[in-house]
Amino acid sequence: MSFLQGSGEFGSLTPINAQKWKNIEQVQQVFTWAEADAIANTAKAGVGGKKSLRCHTMVWFKGLPSWVETTYSRADMEHILTAHIQNLAWHFKGRCYAWDVVNEAIDDNGVFRQSPMYKAMGIDFITFSFKTAAKADPSAKLYYNDYALESPFLSPGPKISITLAMLRTVKAQGGTVHGVGFQSHLKVGLVPPRSEMASTMQQFLEVVDEVAITELDIRHSPLKTPSTRAMWEQQAKDYGEVVGACLDVNKGYGGRKCVGVTVWDFTDKYSWVPSEIPTEGEACLWDNNYVKKLAYWTVLNMFKSAAGVSKRAEVNGTDSESETAADRVVESVVTGRARPVSREEEVQGGGGTRTVVATTLATAVRVG
């Protein structure tokens, strides 16, 4: 919890898992809100300063309860989507400033995933989802969220052009799509150039109002032990390329069009990478012992510069001014785990023993 209390590092929360379909509606029309509510209530309570809530996700091809994983008619699927999206949006109405409405509808080859929703409705399930979400919570920003959108070289197929075409279709059919989330799960040494990522974001800004980097982590692939200074320097450079692309977009438009950078998670201790890809990892800004890496200081100094703060934060240093600057631009994301949110555990941090809530934390940055 100490990372939320008083550090000035974080300004918003996102439930990474707690709002997903399988966790919310395991049984049809029986909704379980406790884990997601705990995160939303933490944001509302303003631990260490009031936090905004970025919500994730309404419709995804994974994380579905078994009752959704079957064959439905179009009419039945429309009924299912309506009930699920409305209940999510109504329950958190006024608390979520943004929703990832549809997540990862297109695969690496630029082909629509054969999800139960797509099988029942085709691409119309996307338009239907956005229309339903807009009616249920008109004040929330509504996002399409996906990976490998940062560069055409990150996928073997035409994923970017297919996604742009899909968004144009959805909007032409009356769907409300405010933004696109670039997940940015990347590999050290293989991050696209800053200018290329900024150019891709600008392509999407011809279709939507804003973009955001929504799930940033940059993993070592393969992970080598012991680690070397060169590994951390390259990772810091790569983080700088991604954050710099977002900042460059804002400069180009003379305003806030790339509205945020979210890292997934903030510490290697709770990163998804090792459990999914055992040969890769150490993707986050903090290590397993909550020590800030070179990448953290690179990102912090980029935001300080963008915020007009002249004094640079030193690596491994303590700088109250840098924390004040970070408080203006840095948010956080909390992802629910199996353990209750109220349970705490003691962990050894870089500055001694710290108490952290037993949900996963991830950091996000609102770009000013």
Side-chain angles (χ1 to χ4, degrees):
M1 185 68 79
S2 64
F3 282 94
L4 294 177
Q5 292 176 326
S7 69
E9 300 279 7
F10 308 126
S12 92
L13 309 178
T14 295
I16 293 175
N17 291 315
Q19 290 174 324
K20 288 176 179 173
W21 202 326
K22 189 173 184 178
N23 296 328
I24 288 290
E25 194 183 2
Q26 181 71 46
V27 177
Q28 189 170 10
Q29 289 295 299
V30 178
F31 292 87
T32 304
W33 304 112
E35 192 172 9
D37 275 345
I39 297 168
N41 291 339
T42 299
K44 184 178 180 180
V47 181
K50 186 176 181 181
K51 286 111 174 70
S52 55
L53 190 69
R54 190 179 192 282
C55 295
H56 174 87
T57 179
M58 289 179 167
V59 183
W60 187 33
F61 78 100
K62 294 175 70 175
L64 296 171
S66 59
W67 63 269
V68 179
E69 294 272 19
T70 187
T71 301
Y72 289 98
S73 68
R74 181 187 181 98
D76 286 344
M77 183 55 72
E78 286 183 354
H79 175 76
I80 290 168
L81 286 172
T82 298
H84 180 71
I85 292 171
Q86 283 182 345
N87 274 281
L88 265 178
W90 288 343
H91 185 82
F92 293 101
K93 192 172 185 177
R95 294 189 282 178
C96 298
Y97 84 84
W99 266 106
D100 288 331
V101 177
V102 177
N103 195 51
E104 300 176 2
I106 299 169
D107 70 14
D108 293 10
N109 294 309
V111 176
F112 285 93
R113 297 183 188 276
Q114 296 297 302
S115 67
M117 295 76 69
Y118 184 84
K119 289 178 180 178
M121 300 177 63
I123 188 177
D124 290 350
F125 93 85
I126 302 176
T127 303
F128 186 87
S129 296
F130 276 101
K131 285 183 175 180
T132 304
K135 289 178 183 177
D137 189 354
S139 64
K141 295 285 188 179
L142 306 181
Y143 269 69
Y144 176 74
N145 190 54
D146 213 333
Y147 67 90
L149 296 180
E150 300 79 15
S151 163
F153 301 106
L154 292 176
S155 62
K159 184 166 182 171
I160 291 174
S161 61
I162 296 298
T163 303
L164 285 165
M166 176 272 289
L167 291 168
R168 291 189 180 100
T169 297
V170 170
K171 297 194 74 173
Q173 293 176 345
T176 300
V177 187
H178 297 109
V180 170
F182 293 74
Q183 291 184 11
S184 304
H185 294 295
L186 302 170
K187 296 180 181 181
V188 172
L190 297 175
V191 171
R194 174 174 175 167
S195 59
E196 185 176 290
M197 290 185 283
S199 176
T200 304
M201 290 180 194
Q202 288 165 352
Q203 290 183 56
F204 280 89
L205 286 169
E206 295 175 3
V207 182
V208 297
D209 299 330
E210 61 188 49
V211 296
I213 297 165
T214 52
E215 302 185 20
L216 175 62
D217 54 28
I218 305 179
R219 62 189 185 270
H220 294 279
S221 175
L223 181 60
K224 299 176 182 179
T225 54
S227 58
T228 65
R229 176 81 178 186
M231 290 170 56
W232 305 123
E233 288 176 347
Q234 182 62 54
Q235 185 182 52
K237 178 179 181 295
D238 291 339
Y239 265 96
E241 291 291 287
V242 179
V243 173
C246 181
L247 295 172
D248 290 347
V249 166
N250 289 340
K251 290 178 184 176
Y253 280 87
R256 187 166 153 181
K257 301 296 282 187
C258 180
V259 300
V261 178
T262 303
V263 302
W264 214 253
D265 288 89
F266 89 103
T267 169
D268 292 332
K269 183 179 179 71
Y270 296 123
S271 172
W272 67 276
V273 175
S275 62
E276 296 288 331
I277 317 172
T279 59
E280 303 179 2
E282 299 188 356
C284 302
L285 296 178
W286 279 259
D287 69 13
N288 281 311
N289 295 315
Y290 298 84
V291 176
K292 297 168 181 176
K293 301 179 190 176
L294 289 176
Y296 168 90
W297 300 100
T298 295
V299 171
L300 175 61
N301 282 319
M302 293 183 77
F303 285 124
K304 287 186 66 177
S305 177
V309 178
S310 59
K311 184 178 178 182
R312 288 177 56 84
E314 298 300 323
V315 175
N316 295 328
T318 300
D319 181 1
S320 59
E321 182 182 349
S322 72
E323 291 189 351
T324 301
D327 192 37
R328 291 200 294 270
V329 295
V330 180
E331 303 175 307
S332 85
V333 175
V334 177
T335 163
R337 296 175 69 82
R339 292 175 292 177
V341 167
S342 59
R343 178 180 173 184
E344 297 183 13
E345 62 181 357
E346 293 292 322
V347 297
Q348 279 298 125
T353 301
R354 305 180 181 203
T355 303
V356 295
V357 74
T359 52
T360 310
L361 298 177
T363 310
V365 180
R366 293 278 290 181
V367 181

